[in-house]
Amino acid sequence: MNASLRAFRSERCAALDPLQVFAAAGPAPRFYWEQPAAERFCVGIGCAARIVVEGAGRFAQAEAESRAVFESVTWQGAGPCVGHLVGGFAFAPGAGGSRVWRGFPDGELRLPELVYWREGALHVRDAAVGSRWADLQPRPLALGQPVRGPAEIGNGGPEAYVERVQRALASIRAGELDKVVIARAVHVAARAPIDPVAWLVALRERFPSCTLFAVGEGDAVFLGASPERLVRVGGETVETVALAGTAPRGASAAADRALGEALCDSRKNGHEHSIVVQHLRSALAECCDDLEVAVEPKLLRTRTVQHLCTELRARRRSHAPVSLLELAARLHPTPAVGGAPREAALEWLVRHEALDRGWFAGPVGYLQSNGDGEFDVALRSALVRGREATAWAGAGIVARSEPRAEFTETELKLRTVLGPLLWGAP
């Protein structure tokens, strides 16, 4: 850590577009997180301090090092003077070991040299004193497609994925698992460099109710539009969401309504969803009070799919308040992205998934020095490197799953992130 960059100036500022700040950073360490519908964002440029963690104790290590980083910062100015650490974590320790995920460790949090953040009507600019990024000006967004010219996509077809689902069903019938989430990857090769900013612009236009995110350095950018919150802390309040059970959107209002009703009535999807709700309920009950769980799931609709969604809320205990990173460690991976029982499902994935998830389905977000913050599940996501990209999607397998239908579900989810890149509006 560079001691000359520990002094920060905080000030309120005029409204701006966080993607314009992200675009102006070029290949520098950069981070973008936005919930357009909620009028919240956090964008960070540069790196005054970097926390890199590995192994099973990565969340606890990040917790300890984050306190030290925040304590090293002094503040000037009339702004709120709230520090931010931004970044994310791999799906599991040791994930991301392949060439595709080079530069993305088990976990990394950065103290940016420049942060713009928004909470409703409050717009704030925090800059490290003396940083070369302190005078960074937002760059107008160029209109255009993420890819110029042709691009090739390779998904390998359904056979390998269907075979893995059949293996999972055999394990479920044998009583080894209740649920396991199997992911697959799609690779894109273009003749010209892929523009991650244009990709994010398109995702934001199409999915304003999702959480848009990007973590980048050099020519690598991990980006996505996630519908799923892992955990949010605001003061004493803790919020999370169970998101499991998926159906397509309908071509007409009547068809869409029918698909949604069928999803709500589905025994298979209801069982899959209930496993996630129970995990979150149990995890929060161990460390929080006043737990509130919606009686029935509601439908969460995006442009391409609709999900069963149950919101959970609790209160941190005043005598021993659990931290955001501790909550992330307790909740992740939920059965919505891993399976149940947790350890058995994760062991099954190591043996059978044949995929390096890296940061896909891991927590991505930010932590504030006052203890508030949010991490979301890095779904509907892709990793961009120059002219290549890899996207991931998964489906939850339970006793009533049908292998070909699960492959189709992954296709729907991939359309969310790849649609703006290859096929136009979904």
Side-chain angles (χ1 to χ4, degrees), residues 142-153 188-200 202 223 384-389 417-424:
L143 299 178
Q145 296 296 319
V147 172
R148 295 183 180 180
E152 297 181 357
I153 180 170
V188 178
R191 295 184 183 177
I194 299 170
D195 184 349
V197 175
W199 198 340
L200 288 164
L223 57 80
V384 183
R385 286 189 188 274
R387 293 180 294 178
E388 298 182 349
V417 66
L418 290 177
L421 183 68
L422 298 177
W423 307 307

PDB file of all heavy atoms in Angstrom, residues 142-153 188-200 202 223 384-389 417-424:
ATOM      1  N   ALA A 142     -19.761   6.058 -26.523  1.00  0.00           N
ATOM      2  CA  ALA A 142     -19.955   5.937 -27.966  1.00  0.00           C
ATOM      3  C   ALA A 142     -21.053   4.914 -28.239  1.00  0.00           C
ATOM      4  O   ALA A 142     -21.087   3.838 -27.636  1.00  0.00           O
ATOM      5  CB  ALA A 142     -18.653   5.500 -28.639  1.00  0.00           C
ATOM      6  N   LEU A 143     -21.955   5.263 -29.130  1.00  0.00           N
ATOM      7  CA  LEU A 143     -23.013   4.335 -29.493  1.00  0.00           C
ATOM      8  C   LEU A 143     -22.463   3.305 -30.466  1.00  0.00           C
ATOM      9  O   LEU A 143     -21.683   3.624 -31.354  1.00  0.00           O
ATOM     10  CB  LEU A 143     -24.182   5.091 -30.132  1.00  0.00           C
ATOM     11  CG  LEU A 143     -24.859   6.133 -29.231  1.00  0.00           C
ATOM     12  CD1 LEU A 143     -25.960   6.845 -29.992  1.00  0.00           C
ATOM     13  CD2 LEU A 143     -25.413   5.478 -27.972  1.00  0.00           C
ATOM     14  N   GLY A 144     -22.853   2.072 -30.290  1.00  0.00           N
ATOM     15  CA  GLY A 144     -22.368   1.029 -31.186  1.00  0.00           C
ATOM     16  C   GLY A 144     -22.520  -0.333 -30.568  1.00  0.00           C
ATOM     17  O   GLY A 144     -22.920  -0.481 -29.412  1.00  0.00           O
ATOM     18  N   GLN A 145     -22.204  -1.360 -31.337  1.00  0.00           N
ATOM     19  CA  GLN A 145     -22.298  -2.733 -30.889  1.00  0.00           C
ATOM     20  C   GLN A 145     -21.028  -3.144 -30.135  1.00  0.00           C
ATOM     21  O   GLN A 145     -19.943  -2.628 -30.414  1.00  0.00           O
ATOM     22  CB  GLN A 145     -22.512  -3.656 -32.085  1.00  0.00           C
ATOM     23  CG  GLN A 145     -23.822  -3.417 -32.823  1.00  0.00           C
ATOM     24  CD  GLN A 145     -25.031  -3.711 -31.943  1.00  0.00           C
ATOM     25  OE1 GLN A 145     -25.048  -4.685 -31.188  1.00  0.00           O
ATOM     26  NE2 GLN A 145     -26.038  -2.847 -32.010  1.00  0.00           N
ATOM     27  N   PRO A 146     -21.137  -4.070 -29.197  1.00  0.00           N
ATOM     28  CA  PRO A 146     -19.941  -4.547 -28.501  1.00  0.00           C
ATOM     29  C   PRO A 146     -18.920  -5.197 -29.426  1.00  0.00           C
ATOM     30  O   PRO A 146     -17.727  -5.189 -29.151  1.00  0.00           O
ATOM     31  CB  PRO A 146     -20.504  -5.570 -27.506  1.00  0.00           C
ATOM     32  CG  PRO A 146     -21.925  -5.174 -27.314  1.00  0.00           C
ATOM     33  CD  PRO A 146     -22.369  -4.623 -28.625  1.00  0.00           C
ATOM     34  N   VAL A 147     -19.409  -5.759 -30.536  1.00  0.00           N
ATOM     35  CA  VAL A 147     -18.525  -6.413 -31.496  1.00  0.00           C
ATOM     36  C   VAL A 147     -18.762  -5.822 -32.872  1.00  0.00           C
ATOM     37  O   VAL A 147     -19.902  -5.705 -33.314  1.00  0.00           O
ATOM     38  CB  VAL A 147     -18.772  -7.934 -31.550  1.00  0.00           C
ATOM     39  CG1 VAL A 147     -17.992  -8.569 -32.700  1.00  0.00           C
ATOM     40  CG2 VAL A 147     -18.360  -8.580 -30.252  1.00  0.00           C
ATOM     41  N   ARG A 148     -17.684  -5.438 -33.525  1.00  0.00           N
ATOM     42  CA  ARG A 148     -17.765  -4.975 -34.905  1.00  0.00           C
ATOM     43  C   ARG A 148     -17.283  -6.103 -35.810  1.00  0.00           C
ATOM     44  O   ARG A 148     -16.163  -6.573 -35.666  1.00  0.00           O
ATOM     45  CB  ARG A 148     -16.904  -3.733 -35.108  1.00  0.00           C
ATOM     46  CG  ARG A 148     -17.402  -2.540 -34.306  1.00  0.00           C
ATOM     47  CD  ARG A 148     -16.569  -1.296 -34.576  1.00  0.00           C
ATOM     48  NE  ARG A 148     -17.057  -0.159 -33.814  1.00  0.00           N
ATOM     49  CZ  ARG A 148     -16.517   1.056 -33.850  1.00  0.00           C
ATOM     50  NH1 ARG A 148     -15.445   1.273 -34.610  1.00  0.00           N
ATOM     51  NH2 ARG A 148     -17.032   2.035 -33.136  1.00  0.00           N
ATOM     52  N   GLY A 149     -18.121  -6.501 -36.724  1.00  0.00           N
ATOM     53  CA  GLY A 149     -17.774  -7.617 -37.580  1.00  0.00           C
ATOM     54  C   GLY A 149     -18.280  -8.927 -37.013  1.00  0.00           C
ATOM     55  O   GLY A 149     -18.897  -8.974 -35.950  1.00  0.00           O
ATOM     56  N   PRO A 150     -18.009 -10.021 -37.698  1.00  0.00           N
ATOM     57  CA  PRO A 150     -18.551 -11.324 -37.287  1.00  0.00           C
ATOM     58  C   PRO A 150     -17.894 -11.851 -36.029  1.00  0.00           C
ATOM     59  O   PRO A 150     -16.767 -11.514 -35.688  1.00  0.00           O
ATOM     60  CB  PRO A 150     -18.230 -12.223 -38.489  1.00  0.00           C
ATOM     61  CG  PRO A 150     -17.051 -11.572 -39.138  1.00  0.00           C
ATOM     62  CD  PRO A 150     -17.220 -10.099 -38.938  1.00  0.00           C
ATOM     63  N   ALA A 151     -18.638 -12.689 -35.332  1.00  0.00           N
ATOM     64  CA  ALA A 151     -18.138 -13.383 -34.149  1.00  0.00           C
ATOM     65  C   ALA A 151     -18.651 -14.810 -34.191  1.00  0.00           C
ATOM     66  O   ALA A 151     -19.754 -15.086 -34.648  1.00  0.00           O
ATOM     67  CB  ALA A 151     -18.597 -12.683 -32.879  1.00  0.00           C
ATOM     68  N   GLU A 152     -17.832 -15.723 -33.721  1.00  0.00           N
ATOM     69  CA  GLU A 152     -18.203 -17.129 -33.701  1.00  0.00           C
ATOM     70  C   GLU A 152     -18.475 -17.566 -32.267  1.00  0.00           C
ATOM     71  O   GLU A 152     -17.777 -17.168 -31.334  1.00  0.00           O
ATOM     72  CB  GLU A 152     -17.081 -17.988 -34.285  1.00  0.00           C
ATOM     73  CG  GLU A 152     -16.793 -17.692 -35.753  1.00  0.00           C
ATOM     74  CD  GLU A 152     -15.690 -18.567 -36.309  1.00  0.00           C
ATOM     75  OE1 GLU A 152     -15.129 -19.365 -35.516  1.00  0.00           O
ATOM     76  OE2 GLU A 152     -15.387 -18.454 -37.505  1.00  0.00           O
ATOM     77  N   ILE A 153     -19.499 -18.391 -32.109  1.00  0.00           N
ATOM     78  CA  ILE A 153     -19.860 -18.888 -30.790  1.00  0.00           C
ATOM     79  C   ILE A 153     -19.759 -20.406 -30.807  1.00  0.00           C
ATOM     80  O   ILE A 153     -20.173 -21.056 -31.760  1.00  0.00           O
ATOM     81  CB  ILE A 153     -21.278 -18.438 -30.397  1.00  0.00           C
ATOM     82  CG1 ILE A 153     -21.651 -18.971 -29.017  1.00  0.00           C
ATOM     83  CG2 ILE A 153     -22.309 -18.874 -31.415  1.00  0.00           C
ATOM     84  CD1 ILE A 153     -22.931 -18.381 -28.476  1.00  0.00           C
ATOM     85  N   VAL A 188     -16.808 -17.276 -27.118  1.00  0.00           N
ATOM     86  CA  VAL A 188     -17.023 -16.366 -28.240  1.00  0.00           C
ATOM     87  C   VAL A 188     -15.674 -15.895 -28.763  1.00  0.00           C
ATOM     88  O   VAL A 188     -14.802 -15.512 -27.974  1.00  0.00           O
ATOM     89  CB  VAL A 188     -17.871 -15.145 -27.815  1.00  0.00           C
ATOM     90  CG1 VAL A 188     -18.056 -14.185 -28.979  1.00  0.00           C
ATOM     91  CG2 VAL A 188     -19.212 -15.594 -27.265  1.00  0.00           C
ATOM     92  N   ALA A 189     -15.494 -15.936 -30.069  1.00  0.00           N
ATOM     93  CA  ALA A 189     -14.279 -15.431 -30.706  1.00  0.00           C
ATOM     94  C   ALA A 189     -14.687 -14.434 -31.784  1.00  0.00           C
ATOM     95  O   ALA A 189     -15.471 -14.764 -32.676  1.00  0.00           O
ATOM     96  CB  ALA A 189     -13.468 -16.571 -31.320  1.00  0.00           C
ATOM     97  N   ALA A 190     -14.161 -13.210 -31.686  1.00  0.00           N
ATOM     98  CA  ALA A 190     -14.481 -12.148 -32.642  1.00  0.00           C
ATOM     99  C   ALA A 190     -13.228 -11.767 -33.421  1.00  0.00           C
ATOM    100  O   ALA A 190     -12.102 -12.080 -33.014  1.00  0.00           O
ATOM    101  CB  ALA A 190     -15.040 -10.930 -31.907  1.00  0.00           C
ATOM    102  N   ARG A 191     -13.415 -11.099 -34.540  1.00  0.00           N
ATOM    103  CA  ARG A 191     -12.282 -10.668 -35.355  1.00  0.00           C
ATOM    104  C   ARG A 191     -11.720  -9.332 -34.910  1.00  0.00           C
ATOM    105  O   ARG A 191     -10.632  -8.942 -35.317  1.00  0.00           O
ATOM    106  CB  ARG A 191     -12.707 -10.594 -36.830  1.00  0.00           C
ATOM    107  CG  ARG A 191     -13.067 -11.953 -37.415  1.00  0.00           C
ATOM    108  CD  ARG A 191     -13.393 -11.847 -38.888  1.00  0.00           C
ATOM    109  NE  ARG A 191     -13.814 -13.140 -39.444  1.00  0.00           N
ATOM    110  CZ  ARG A 191     -14.210 -13.309 -40.697  1.00  0.00           C
ATOM    111  NH1 ARG A 191     -14.237 -12.271 -41.539  1.00  0.00           N
ATOM    112  NH2 ARG A 191     -14.577 -14.505 -41.108  1.00  0.00           N
ATOM    113  N   ALA A 192     -12.491  -8.608 -34.088  1.00  0.00           N
ATOM    114  CA  ALA A 192     -12.052  -7.317 -33.555  1.00  0.00           C
ATOM    115  C   ALA A 192     -12.236  -7.348 -32.042  1.00  0.00           C
ATOM    116  O   ALA A 192     -13.003  -8.147 -31.515  1.00  0.00           O
ATOM    117  CB  ALA A 192     -12.864  -6.181 -34.181  1.00  0.00           C
ATOM    118  N   PRO A 193     -11.525  -6.497 -31.319  1.00  0.00           N
ATOM    119  CA  PRO A 193     -11.687  -6.472 -29.863  1.00  0.00           C
ATOM    120  C   PRO A 193     -13.129  -6.231 -29.440  1.00  0.00           C
ATOM    121  O   PRO A 193     -13.834  -5.407 -30.029  1.00  0.00           O
ATOM    122  CB  PRO A 193     -10.779  -5.322 -29.435  1.00  0.00           C
ATOM    123  CG  PRO A 193      -9.743  -5.232 -30.505  1.00  0.00           C
ATOM    124  CD  PRO A 193     -10.470  -5.565 -31.780  1.00  0.00           C
ATOM    125  N   ILE A 194     -13.565  -6.952 -28.437  1.00  0.00           N
ATOM    126  CA  ILE A 194     -14.909  -6.790 -27.886  1.00  0.00           C
ATOM    127  C   ILE A 194     -14.902  -5.595 -26.937  1.00  0.00           C
ATOM    128  O   ILE A 194     -14.002  -5.446 -26.113  1.00  0.00           O
ATOM    129  CB  ILE A 194     -15.343  -8.067 -27.152  1.00  0.00           C
ATOM    130  CG1 ILE A 194     -15.383  -9.245 -28.133  1.00  0.00           C
ATOM    131  CG2 ILE A 194     -16.700  -7.872 -26.480  1.00  0.00           C
ATOM    132  CD1 ILE A 194     -15.570 -10.591 -27.452  1.00  0.00           C
ATOM    133  N   ASP A 195     -15.899  -4.731 -27.065  1.00  0.00           N
ATOM    134  CA  ASP A 195     -15.986  -3.518 -26.252  1.00  0.00           C
ATOM    135  C   ASP A 195     -16.837  -3.797 -25.013  1.00  0.00           C
ATOM    136  O   ASP A 195     -18.066  -3.859 -25.103  1.00  0.00           O
ATOM    137  CB  ASP A 195     -16.606  -2.389 -27.069  1.00  0.00           C
ATOM    138  CG  ASP A 195     -16.644  -1.072 -26.315  1.00  0.00           C
ATOM    139  OD1 ASP A 195     -16.379  -1.063 -25.092  1.00  0.00           O
ATOM    140  OD2 ASP A 195     -16.957  -0.045 -26.945  1.00  0.00           O
ATOM    141  N   PRO A 196     -16.227  -3.967 -23.826  1.00  0.00           N
ATOM    142  CA  PRO A 196     -17.022  -4.274 -22.637  1.00  0.00           C
ATOM    143  C   PRO A 196     -17.942  -3.138 -22.210  1.00  0.00           C
ATOM    144  O   PRO A 196     -19.004  -3.385 -21.630  1.00  0.00           O
ATOM    145  CB  PRO A 196     -15.967  -4.572 -21.574  1.00  0.00           C
ATOM    146  CG  PRO A 196     -14.721  -3.912 -22.044  1.00  0.00           C
ATOM    147  CD  PRO A 196     -14.778  -3.946 -23.531  1.00  0.00           C
ATOM    148  N   VAL A 197     -17.550  -1.898 -22.489  1.00  0.00           N
ATOM    149  CA  VAL A 197     -18.421  -0.778 -22.112  1.00  0.00           C
ATOM    150  C   VAL A 197     -19.697  -0.798 -22.944  1.00  0.00           C
ATOM    151  O   VAL A 197     -20.805  -0.631 -22.412  1.00  0.00           O
ATOM    152  CB  VAL A 197     -17.675   0.564 -22.257  1.00  0.00           C
ATOM    153  CG1 VAL A 197     -18.626   1.735 -21.984  1.00  0.00           C
ATOM    154  CG2 VAL A 197     -16.484   0.624 -21.310  1.00  0.00           C
ATOM    155  N   ALA A 198     -19.574  -0.999 -24.251  1.00  0.00           N
ATOM    156  CA  ALA A 198     -20.763  -1.094 -25.096  1.00  0.00           C
ATOM    157  C   ALA A 198     -21.639  -2.275 -24.665  1.00  0.00           C
ATOM    158  O   ALA A 198     -22.876  -2.201 -24.707  1.00  0.00           O
ATOM    159  CB  ALA A 198     -20.353  -1.239 -26.557  1.00  0.00           C
ATOM    160  N   TRP A 199     -21.000  -3.357 -24.256  1.00  0.00           N
ATOM    161  CA  TRP A 199     -21.743  -4.516 -23.767  1.00  0.00           C
ATOM    162  C   TRP A 199     -22.539  -4.140 -22.522  1.00  0.00           C
ATOM    163  O   TRP A 199     -23.727  -4.455 -22.391  1.00  0.00           O
ATOM    164  CB  TRP A 199     -20.763  -5.637 -23.458  1.00  0.00           C
ATOM    165  CG  TRP A 199     -21.349  -7.013 -23.357  1.00  0.00           C
ATOM    166  CD1 TRP A 199     -22.655  -7.352 -23.133  1.00  0.00           C
ATOM    167  CD2 TRP A 199     -20.637  -8.242 -23.478  1.00  0.00           C
ATOM    168  NE1 TRP A 199     -22.794  -8.711 -23.095  1.00  0.00           N
ATOM    169  CE2 TRP A 199     -21.584  -9.285 -23.303  1.00  0.00           C
ATOM    170  CE3 TRP A 199     -19.305  -8.563 -23.705  1.00  0.00           C
ATOM    171  CZ2 TRP A 199     -21.217 -10.637 -23.351  1.00  0.00           C
ATOM    172  CZ3 TRP A 199     -18.947  -9.910 -23.744  1.00  0.00           C
ATOM    173  CH2 TRP A 199     -19.887 -10.928 -23.576  1.00  0.00           C
ATOM    174  N   LEU A 200     -21.908  -3.429 -21.584  1.00  0.00           N
ATOM    175  CA  LEU A 200     -22.588  -3.005 -20.368  1.00  0.00           C
ATOM    176  C   LEU A 200     -23.719  -2.025 -20.658  1.00  0.00           C
ATOM    177  O   LEU A 200     -24.776  -2.076 -20.021  1.00  0.00           O
ATOM    178  CB  LEU A 200     -21.584  -2.386 -19.402  1.00  0.00           C
ATOM    179  CG  LEU A 200     -20.616  -3.366 -18.733  1.00  0.00           C
ATOM    180  CD1 LEU A 200     -19.441  -2.621 -18.110  1.00  0.00           C
ATOM    181  CD2 LEU A 200     -21.329  -4.198 -17.676  1.00  0.00           C
ATOM    182  N   ALA A 202     -25.572  -1.975 -23.307  1.00  0.00           N
ATOM    183  CA  ALA A 202     -26.688  -2.769 -23.820  1.00  0.00           C
ATOM    184  C   ALA A 202     -27.374  -3.545 -22.705  1.00  0.00           C
ATOM    185  O   ALA A 202     -28.612  -3.626 -22.661  1.00  0.00           O
ATOM    186  CB  ALA A 202     -26.178  -3.719 -24.904  1.00  0.00           C
ATOM    187  N   LEU A 223     -17.941  -9.167 -16.400  1.00  0.00           N
ATOM    188  CA  LEU A 223     -19.126  -8.310 -16.375  1.00  0.00           C
ATOM    189  C   LEU A 223     -20.398  -9.150 -16.376  1.00  0.00           C
ATOM    190  O   LEU A 223     -20.388 -10.333 -16.708  1.00  0.00           O
ATOM    191  CB  LEU A 223     -19.112  -7.349 -17.565  1.00  0.00           C
ATOM    192  CG  LEU A 223     -19.023  -7.935 -18.982  1.00  0.00           C
ATOM    193  CD1 LEU A 223     -20.367  -8.439 -19.489  1.00  0.00           C
ATOM    194  CD2 LEU A 223     -18.463  -6.904 -19.949  1.00  0.00           C
ATOM    195  N   VAL A 384     -14.364 -11.060 -20.528  1.00  0.00           N
ATOM    196  CA  VAL A 384     -13.889 -10.550 -21.812  1.00  0.00           C
ATOM    197  C   VAL A 384     -12.378 -10.370 -21.753  1.00  0.00           C
ATOM    198  O   VAL A 384     -11.850  -9.792 -20.798  1.00  0.00           O
ATOM    199  CB  VAL A 384     -14.554  -9.191 -22.150  1.00  0.00           C
ATOM    200  CG1 VAL A 384     -14.102  -8.697 -23.520  1.00  0.00           C
ATOM    201  CG2 VAL A 384     -16.064  -9.304 -22.093  1.00  0.00           C
ATOM    202  N   ARG A 385     -11.691 -10.861 -22.782  1.00  0.00           N
ATOM    203  CA  ARG A 385     -10.253 -10.611 -22.954  1.00  0.00           C
ATOM    204  C   ARG A 385     -10.002 -10.330 -24.431  1.00  0.00           C
ATOM    205  O   ARG A 385      -9.969 -11.256 -25.247  1.00  0.00           O
ATOM    206  CB  ARG A 385      -9.417 -11.805 -22.517  1.00  0.00           C
ATOM    207  CG  ARG A 385      -9.309 -12.014 -21.035  1.00  0.00           C
ATOM    208  CD  ARG A 385      -8.276 -13.086 -20.705  1.00  0.00           C
ATOM    209  NE  ARG A 385      -8.282 -13.450 -19.309  1.00  0.00           N
ATOM    210  CZ  ARG A 385      -7.607 -12.817 -18.356  1.00  0.00           C
ATOM    211  NH1 ARG A 385      -6.853 -11.785 -18.674  1.00  0.00           N
ATOM    212  NH2 ARG A 385      -7.666 -13.219 -17.101  1.00  0.00           N
ATOM    213  N   GLY A 386      -9.841  -9.066 -24.745  1.00  0.00           N
ATOM    214  CA  GLY A 386      -9.533  -8.715 -26.130  1.00  0.00           C
ATOM    215  C   GLY A 386     -10.632  -9.134 -27.079  1.00  0.00           C
ATOM    216  O   GLY A 386     -11.767  -8.681 -26.989  1.00  0.00           O
ATOM    217  N   ARG A 387     -10.313 -10.045 -27.984  1.00  0.00           N
ATOM    218  CA  ARG A 387     -11.274 -10.490 -28.993  1.00  0.00           C
ATOM    219  C   ARG A 387     -12.044 -11.742 -28.568  1.00  0.00           C
ATOM    220  O   ARG A 387     -12.812 -12.284 -29.366  1.00  0.00           O
ATOM    221  CB  ARG A 387     -10.537 -10.780 -30.304  1.00  0.00           C
ATOM    222  CG  ARG A 387      -9.940  -9.532 -30.951  1.00  0.00           C
ATOM    223  CD  ARG A 387      -9.214  -9.871 -32.235  1.00  0.00           C
ATOM    224  NE  ARG A 387      -8.034 -10.704 -31.980  1.00  0.00           N
ATOM    225  CZ  ARG A 387      -7.233 -11.184 -32.928  1.00  0.00           C
ATOM    226  NH1 ARG A 387      -7.509 -10.931 -34.208  1.00  0.00           N
ATOM    227  NH2 ARG A 387      -6.178 -11.913 -32.621  1.00  0.00           N
ATOM    228  N   GLU A 388     -11.851 -12.195 -27.338  1.00  0.00           N
ATOM    229  CA  GLU A 388     -12.508 -13.411 -26.871  1.00  0.00           C
ATOM    230  C   GLU A 388     -13.355 -13.136 -25.630  1.00  0.00           C
ATOM    231  O   GLU A 388     -13.088 -12.204 -24.868  1.00  0.00           O
ATOM    232  CB  GLU A 388     -11.476 -14.494 -26.549  1.00  0.00           C
ATOM    233  CG  GLU A 388     -10.657 -14.927 -27.761  1.00  0.00           C
ATOM    234  CD  GLU A 388      -9.686 -16.029 -27.404  1.00  0.00           C
ATOM    235  OE1 GLU A 388      -9.499 -16.309 -26.200  1.00  0.00           O
ATOM    236  OE2 GLU A 388      -9.109 -16.625 -28.341  1.00  0.00           O
ATOM    237  N   ALA A 389     -14.357 -13.969 -25.449  1.00  0.00           N
ATOM    238  CA  ALA A 389     -15.207 -13.888 -24.261  1.00  0.00           C
ATOM    239  C   ALA A 389     -15.701 -15.287 -23.921  1.00  0.00           C
ATOM    240  O   ALA A 389     -15.855 -16.135 -24.799  1.00  0.00           O
ATOM    241  CB  ALA A 389     -16.380 -12.943 -24.484  1.00  0.00           C
ATOM    242  N   VAL A 417     -27.070 -12.570 -21.205  1.00  0.00           N
ATOM    243  CA  VAL A 417     -25.767 -11.895 -21.258  1.00  0.00           C
ATOM    244  C   VAL A 417     -25.213 -11.819 -22.676  1.00  0.00           C
ATOM    245  O   VAL A 417     -24.560 -10.839 -23.039  1.00  0.00           O
ATOM    246  CB  VAL A 417     -24.772 -12.585 -20.297  1.00  0.00           C
ATOM    247  CG1 VAL A 417     -24.445 -13.993 -20.744  1.00  0.00           C
ATOM    248  CG2 VAL A 417     -23.515 -11.749 -20.165  1.00  0.00           C
ATOM    249  N   LEU A 418     -25.498 -12.818 -23.514  1.00  0.00           N
ATOM    250  CA  LEU A 418     -24.911 -12.822 -24.860  1.00  0.00           C
ATOM    251  C   LEU A 418     -25.801 -12.150 -25.904  1.00  0.00           C
ATOM    252  O   LEU A 418     -25.300 -11.791 -26.974  1.00  0.00           O
ATOM    253  CB  LEU A 418     -24.649 -14.265 -25.305  1.00  0.00           C
ATOM    254  CG  LEU A 418     -23.522 -15.006 -24.596  1.00  0.00           C
ATOM    255  CD1 LEU A 418     -23.420 -16.435 -25.093  1.00  0.00           C
ATOM    256  CD2 LEU A 418     -22.193 -14.284 -24.805  1.00  0.00           C
ATOM    257  N   GLY A 419     -27.065 -11.961 -25.584  1.00  0.00           N
ATOM    258  CA  GLY A 419     -27.970 -11.347 -26.552  1.00  0.00           C
ATOM    259  C   GLY A 419     -27.466 -10.026 -27.120  1.00  0.00           C
ATOM    260  O   GLY A 419     -27.397  -9.850 -28.351  1.00  0.00           O
ATOM    261  N   PRO A 420     -27.080  -9.068 -26.272  1.00  0.00           N
ATOM    262  CA  PRO A 420     -26.587  -7.789 -26.815  1.00  0.00           C
ATOM    263  C   PRO A 420     -25.320  -7.953 -27.655  1.00  0.00           C
ATOM    264  O   PRO A 420     -25.056  -7.131 -28.533  1.00  0.00           O
ATOM    265  CB  PRO A 420     -26.298  -6.973 -25.550  1.00  0.00           C
ATOM    266  CG  PRO A 420     -27.140  -7.594 -24.485  1.00  0.00           C
ATOM    267  CD  PRO A 420     -27.174  -9.056 -24.815  1.00  0.00           C
ATOM    268  N   LEU A 421     -24.570  -9.000 -27.390  1.00  0.00           N
ATOM    269  CA  LEU A 421     -23.301  -9.178 -28.092  1.00  0.00           C
ATOM    270  C   LEU A 421     -23.481  -9.765 -29.484  1.00  0.00           C
ATOM    271  O   LEU A 421     -22.855  -9.325 -30.449  1.00  0.00           O
ATOM    272  CB  LEU A 421     -22.389 -10.092 -27.265  1.00  0.00           C
ATOM    273  CG  LEU A 421     -20.979 -10.342 -27.801  1.00  0.00           C
ATOM    274  CD1 LEU A 421     -20.165  -9.068 -27.724  1.00  0.00           C
ATOM    275  CD2 LEU A 421     -20.303 -11.443 -27.018  1.00  0.00           C
ATOM    276  N   LEU A 422     -24.362 -10.761 -29.577  1.00  0.00           N
ATOM    277  CA  LEU A 422     -24.401 -11.526 -30.820  1.00  0.00           C
ATOM    278  C   LEU A 422     -25.703 -11.441 -31.591  1.00  0.00           C
ATOM    279  O   LEU A 422     -25.706 -11.484 -32.820  1.00  0.00           O
ATOM    280  CB  LEU A 422     -24.135 -13.014 -30.510  1.00  0.00           C
ATOM    281  CG  LEU A 422     -22.770 -13.323 -29.909  1.00  0.00           C
ATOM    282  CD1 LEU A 422     -22.683 -14.807 -29.600  1.00  0.00           C
ATOM    283  CD2 LEU A 422     -21.658 -12.927 -30.874  1.00  0.00           C
ATOM    284  N   TRP A 423     -26.812 -11.365 -30.868  1.00  0.00           N
ATOM    285  CA  TRP A 423     -28.077 -11.541 -31.540  1.00  0.00           C
ATOM    286  C   TRP A 423     -28.975 -10.312 -31.527  1.00  0.00           C
ATOM    287  O   TRP A 423     -30.134 -10.406 -31.905  1.00  0.00           O
ATOM    288  CB  TRP A 423     -28.840 -12.711 -30.896  1.00  0.00           C
ATOM    289  CG  TRP A 423     -28.021 -13.945 -30.839  1.00  0.00           C
ATOM    290  CD1 TRP A 423     -27.370 -14.551 -31.874  1.00  0.00           C
ATOM    291  CD2 TRP A 423     -27.758 -14.730 -29.683  1.00  0.00           C
ATOM    292  NE1 TRP A 423     -26.720 -15.668 -31.432  1.00  0.00           N
ATOM    293  CE2 TRP A 423     -26.931 -15.813 -30.092  1.00  0.00           C
ATOM    294  CE3 TRP A 423     -28.134 -14.663 -28.347  1.00  0.00           C
ATOM    295  CZ2 TRP A 423     -26.483 -16.784 -29.213  1.00  0.00           C
ATOM    296  CZ3 TRP A 423     -27.681 -15.624 -27.472  1.00  0.00           C
ATOM    297  CH2 TRP A 423     -26.872 -16.673 -27.904  1.00  0.00           C
ATOM    298  N   GLY A 424     -28.498  -9.191 -31.058  1.00  0.00           N
ATOM    299  CA  GLY A 424     -29.352  -8.019 -30.930  1.00  0.00           C
ATOM    300  C   GLY A 424     -30.201  -8.128 -29.690  1.00  0.00           C
ATOM    301  O   GLY A 424     -29.929  -8.897 -28.792  1.00  0.00           O
TER     302      GLY A 424
END
